[in-house]
Amino acid sequence: MEVDADITGGEIGSIVEVHGPVVLIRCNPLPPLRQALVTRGRDPAYTFEVYQHLDREQIRAITLENPAGLQRGMRVYDSGAPLSVPVSQACLGRLLDAFGAPLDGGPPLPDVEHRPIHAHPAPFHETTSSTGILETGIKVIDLLSPFVRGGKTGLFGGAGVGKTVLIMEFMHAIVALHQGVSVFAGVGERIREGHELWHEMRDAGVMPNSLIVLGQMDESPGIRFRVGLSALTYAEYLRDTLGKEVLFLMDNVFRFAQAGSEISGLLGRIPATVGYQPTLMSEVAELEDRIISTRAGALTSVQAVYVPADDMTDPAVNAILGHLDSMVILSRSQAAKGIYPAVDPLQSTTSLMDRYILGDRHYSVAEGVREHLARYRELEDVIAMLGIQELSEHDRLVVLRARKLQRYLTQPFHVTAEHAGMKGVAVPLEETLSDCERFLSGAYDATTEEECYMRGAMGRPRP
């Protein structure tokens, strides 16, 4: 992070000890917590964030760059402010780091306005509640786990089940269906993932209305811990200045919690439950409570969450779960069957699944689809051992319809069209409900399962 000497305060102290990314600095006077401190006249320059006051003269700070090259005796200067990023509408279409510096080879953002990455949530009287469903054009989500407009959705899944592809499709939907903008926060991203995401978004044509902020896996834990707040600062700016639908995507929130745990250990704090930092709940809340809609515009969040050892009772997962409105579970067994998106329709839930919110028709259709799929799952072992012929006529009909519904809830995506060789489709919720009503009533009993697979609405030609 380059800090201009003209706007930097005077020398504040020097480094006494270096413990990896944690440095002990003797200061006079003591800077406030979360203040940004910098070195000058060295290449590379280093930025530190104040984390602890040890006594009247010493502080602990976290290095926000690679600590290689740090040494005792280095002079440290006060930046005069907390960490901040340059904000401008020119950020759209860009790939930036946690400091707002370009990673795409383009020019720096205009240095017109800076916003601190640490901020309070919007004032209570300016916030607005959720305003119903945010349609994505993805059948299985709009039907069974609809997104809350202005709410927070968690996308739970392991590696290789399609989290990133699904997130990219959400970004495409916001741009195409709602004429909104998207902000993607890559927390601890592999450089390959970040590179592929950037190029695929450009190829899909959604990059001009999107912003990517990356904190890569090989960077300091301080960067991985703060990149989410940097991206959220941009999302808040776009919400307040453009007044549009803003989609804030974060991959992966669990790595944010991990980075906090790493920093906590380096600072010498006593770990709490299962080795996590004692401040886990407040750190997650600090991020999540800022994701809110105001009168200026809607801010909707989709967050990928890694579940360690598939244990949903993990403290980090529970801390995140408490803030979510919808939970979409991606299942490896669904992916193994070729069901994409690999959403588990029975485990995925939403706070909107209420007859008074969705209306009688949507609620009844969703419940009917769930009942058929649940009965099919109950009978799978019986079918595997004895064959479908041993089922009653009613159960056999339910299984056949459930299998067709399962395949109908797949669809090709716009962002994978180039690789899959299939044109992506977005299906309006009204068409999804009409098709599912016809499946449940038996109108498609004569249709083969192959005709239901990887397509849009049944009344339209296959892409």
Side-chain angles (χ1 to χ4, degrees), residues 48-236:
F48 312 97
E49 186 177 11
V50 179
Y51 268 77
Q52 287 180 339
H53 287 183
L54 299 179
D55 53 35
R56 294 184 178 183
E57 294 185 344
Q58 296 186 106
I59 64 169
R60 276 204 184 102
I62 294 291
T63 312
L64 297 180
E65 281 90 7
N66 188 329
L70 284 175
Q71 59 188 42
R72 296 173 64 185
M74 289 178 70
R75 313 309 293 177
V76 178
Y77 300 82
D78 188 355
S79 72
L83 290 167
S84 60
V85 291
V87 292
S88 162
Q89 291 189 33
C91 67
L92 290 175
R94 302 301 302 274
L95 175 66
L96 306 174
D97 67 11
F99 301 122
L103 294 173
D104 53 10
L109 293 181
D111 197 7
V112 177
E113 179 187 351
H114 281 74
R115 281 196 178 190
I117 66 171
H118 300 289
H120 294 293
F124 195 75
H125 65 276
E126 291 183 10
T127 62
T128 59
S129 58
S130 58
T131 55
I133 292 177
L134 177 69
E135 284 194 39
T136 64
I138 301 171
K139 294 180 287 189
V140 64
I141 288 176
D142 288 346
L143 175 68
L144 299 176
S145 186
F147 285 3
V148 181
R149 183 187 293 271
K152 294 185 275 281
T153 297
L155 192 61
F156 295 80
V161 294
K163 290 196 305 296
T164 302
V165 171
L166 202 49
I167 279 178
M168 287 167 56
E169 190 70 10
F170 296 150
M171 297 175 79
H172 185 279
I174 287 294
V175 173
L177 301 180
H178 303 281
Q179 286 75 51
V181 295
S182 301
V183 178
F184 179 90
V187 182
E189 286 287 287
R190 303 173 185 88
I191 190 167
R192 171 188 59 79
E193 289 177 333
H195 185 267
E196 288 177 358
L197 175 70
W198 180 42
H199 281 278
E200 286 173 5
M201 285 174 58
R202 289 199 303 178
D203 294 341
V206 300
M207 199 62 208
N209 289 292
S210 304
L211 164 66
I212 301 177
V213 184
L214 287 184
Q216 297 174 58
M217 190 174 279
D218 65 335
E219 295 191 83
S220 158
I223 288 291
R224 287 181 270 123
F225 193 48
R226 292 308 186 204
V227 67
L229 294 178
S230 295
L232 184 53
T233 302
Y234 282 107
E236 289 172 331

Side-chain angles (χ1 to χ4, degrees), residues 136-139 165 168-169 172-173 176-177 203-204 340-341 410-428 454-457 460-463:
T136 64
I138 301 171
K139 294 180 287 189
V165 171
M168 287 167 56
E169 190 70 10
H172 185 279
L177 301 180
D203 294 341
Y340 287 102
T410 64
Q411 73 187 82
F413 285 166
H414 293 90
V415 295
T416 59
E418 185 179 344
H419 306 291
M422 300 173 67
K423 187 178 178 183
V425 293
V427 183
M454 277 294 171
R455 62 176 304 154
R460 298 186 184 183
R462 184 184 291 273

Side-chain angles (χ1 to χ4, degrees), residues 235-307:
E236 289 172 331
Y237 172 79
L238 293 171
R239 175 197 66 193
D240 298 337
T241 57
L242 297 184
K244 287 188 175 183
E245 189 84 49
V246 179
L247 180 65
F248 177 66
L249 304 113
M250 195 168 176
D251 186 8
N252 184 306
V253 191
F254 181 78
R255 293 195 195 119
F256 162 78
Q258 268 187 323
S261 178
E262 195 174 334
I263 288 172
S264 182
L266 290 166
L267 292 172
R269 292 177 183 150
I270 298 173
T273 313
V274 198
Y276 285 105
Q277 63 270 38
T279 52
L280 173 66
M281 299 294 286
S282 59
E283 288 168 0
V284 171
E286 180 186 5
L287 174 74
E288 297 285 357
D289 284 356
R290 285 174 59 186
I291 304 173
I292 196 165
S293 298
T294 67
R295 295 172 185 170
L299 179 57
T300 304
S301 173
V302 179
Q303 307 167 21
V305 184
Y306 168 72
V307 182

Side-chain angles (χ1 to χ4, degrees), residues 316-330:
V317 175
N318 266 326
I320 297 162
L321 267 175
H323 295 274
L324 301 178
D325 300 298
S326 303
M327 182 173 67
V328 177
I329 307 291
L330 294 181

Side-chain angles (χ1 to χ4, degrees), residues 11-13 26-31 56-57 59 78:
E11 182 179 319
I12 198 171
R26 181 172 284 113
C27 299
N28 186 21
L30 290 181
R56 294 184 178 183
E57 294 185 344
I59 64 169
D78 188 355

